[in-house]
Amino acid sequence: MRDFGNAKKIVVKVGTSTVTYPTGKLNLSRLEKLARVLSDIKNEGRDVVLVTSGAVASGLGRLGLTKNHKTTQEKQALAAIGQGILMQIYEKLFGEYGVVVAQVLLTKDVVDEEKKMLNVKNTFEYLFKYGAIPIVNENDVVAIEELEFGDNDTLSAYVATIIGADLLIILSDIDGLYSCDPRIDKSAELIKEVFEIDSYIESIAGGAGTLNSTGGMQTKIEAAKIAMQHGIPMVIANGENPSIVKEILEGKEIGTLFVSKNAVSR
């Protein structure tokens, strides 16, 4: 039985496909629902962190571009434009519910250098103390290869470990981990629980999903590895309706739960 009723610290990650339309424009209706749900969860007395993708896609949408540019310089410029758009929208939407939000931009060296990690951890703790919801993204503008998380799935897992989260929820455009790709094979079955990431689980993880996204099931499996190593349960679920976060916290059997055998036995 899934029991997250006592989960105090929650990290929710939303992918590009969740926060934007295929055009690259922000899905304002979905973002409004997400803000309402996370604000309500915070009102329950929980600490919430939102890890968000969509900066590059938002930049594309604002400039009226339809092609997803590939060079590092183009992505960094688009992220610089799009990140401001994202935060402006989040500030407005969360503000409607009286919730303060804080922008947190990270690079990979945070988890590689103990002092920086401690500084970030302390910042999160004070943001929780002030009643704010940290909104996290990778600092794409300054990130170079050795400083990149690679995708926000991995970033969300590291954030979960830094704050000592009780649960990580990754919202995507798929219901969870399937035995094979459900978009091309109707016999695909949803795997409800994973207690160990073995060669079979690795083998059924596919590539990147939508045009504007950078991750896929492979990156989510990598995130699960990080979370499970630190005893943090992780759920992959469909983010089409953000209210699903509440349902997960209520213990409903939704998506795919990744939880280590050691965590189950405790």
Side-chain angles (χ1 to χ4, degrees):
M1 180 179 178
R2 306 187 189 192
D3 183 10
F4 302 123
N6 293 325
K8 172 64 176 175
K9 293 183 178 180
I10 314 297
V11 176
V12 177
K13 182 265 179 179
V14 289
T16 300
S17 61
T18 300
V19 301
T20 66
Y21 292 106
T23 60
K25 299 286 187 178
L26 290 173
N27 188 330
L28 298 177
S29 176
R30 191 171 292 163
L31 288 175
E32 192 280 329
K33 293 177 182 177
L34 178 67
R36 182 172 70 248
V37 169
L38 297 188
S39 297
D40 195 42
I41 291 172
K42 178 186 173 299
N43 288 345
E44 292 178 346
R46 308 180 198 257
D47 294 327
V48 181
V49 176
L50 173 62
V51 178
T52 181
S53 298
V56 173
S58 297
L60 282 167
R62 175 58 61 90
L63 295 177
L65 301 176
T66 57
K67 182 180 178 181
N68 196 349
H69 296 264
K70 298 297 184 182
T71 70
T72 299
Q73 292 82 0
E74 287 174 314
K75 287 183 177 180
Q76 289 175 321
L78 290 167
I81 296 169
Q83 183 63 30
I85 297 169
L86 271 180
M87 284 307 301
Q88 182 182 32
I89 296 297
Y90 280 131
E91 174 72 31
K92 178 176 176 60
L93 294 177
F94 279 98
E96 291 292 324
Y97 301 102
V99 174
V100 175
V101 296
Q103 178 176 256
V104 179
L105 300 177
L106 301 176
T107 47
K108 185 66 161 52
D109 56 330
V110 166
V111 298
D112 295 331
E113 299 181 28
E114 185 176 353
K115 185 175 182 180
K116 289 185 179 180
M117 182 185 290
L118 180 59
N119 288 339
V120 171
K121 180 178 180 180
N122 289 337
T123 297
F124 275 116
E125 288 301 321
Y126 271 92
L127 289 174
F128 295 146
K129 180 180 178 181
Y130 295 150
I133 290 183
I135 297 180
V136 183
N137 202 349
E138 183 166 9
N139 193 341
D140 294 313
V141 176
V142 301
I144 54 178
E145 186 174 354
E146 61 266 27
L147 296 181
E148 292 176 352
F149 289 98
D151 63 88
N152 277 357
D153 293 325
T154 306
L155 171 60
S156 67
Y158 279 119
V159 169
T161 64
I162 290 172
I163 70 168
D166 300 304
L167 177 64
L168 167 60
I169 300 174
I170 293 183
L171 298 181
S172 184
D173 56 358
I174 194 169
D175 294 336
L177 176 66
Y178 281 83
S179 56
C180 53
D181 192 337
R183 293 170 292 188
I184 59 177
D185 190 338
K186 292 184 179 180
S187 68
E189 296 183 357
L190 179 67
I191 299 173
K192 295 182 179 180
E193 293 181 335
V194 175
F195 299 105
E196 181 182 7
I197 298 179
D198 53 20
S199 58
Y200 170 69
I201 297 297
E202 296 271 14
S203 69
I204 61 177
T210 58
L211 173 65
N212 289 323
S213 67
T214 57
M217 194 53 68
Q218 287 179 325
T219 62
K220 292 169 180 56
I221 295 301
E222 290 303 314
K225 287 181 182 178
I226 297 168
M228 293 170 74
Q229 286 171 0
H230 291 82
I232 301 171
M234 184 186 105
V235 174
I236 299 174
N238 196 313
E240 183 177 358
N241 184 357
S243 295
I244 202 170
V245 175
K246 289 276 288 185
E247 296 179 32
I248 291 170
L249 290 173
E250 290 168 358
K252 294 184 180 179
E253 196 174 78
I254 294 172
T256 300
L257 170 66
F258 293 80
V259 58
S260 68
K261 292 180 179 179
N262 292 335
V264 171
S265 62
R266 283 202 302 265

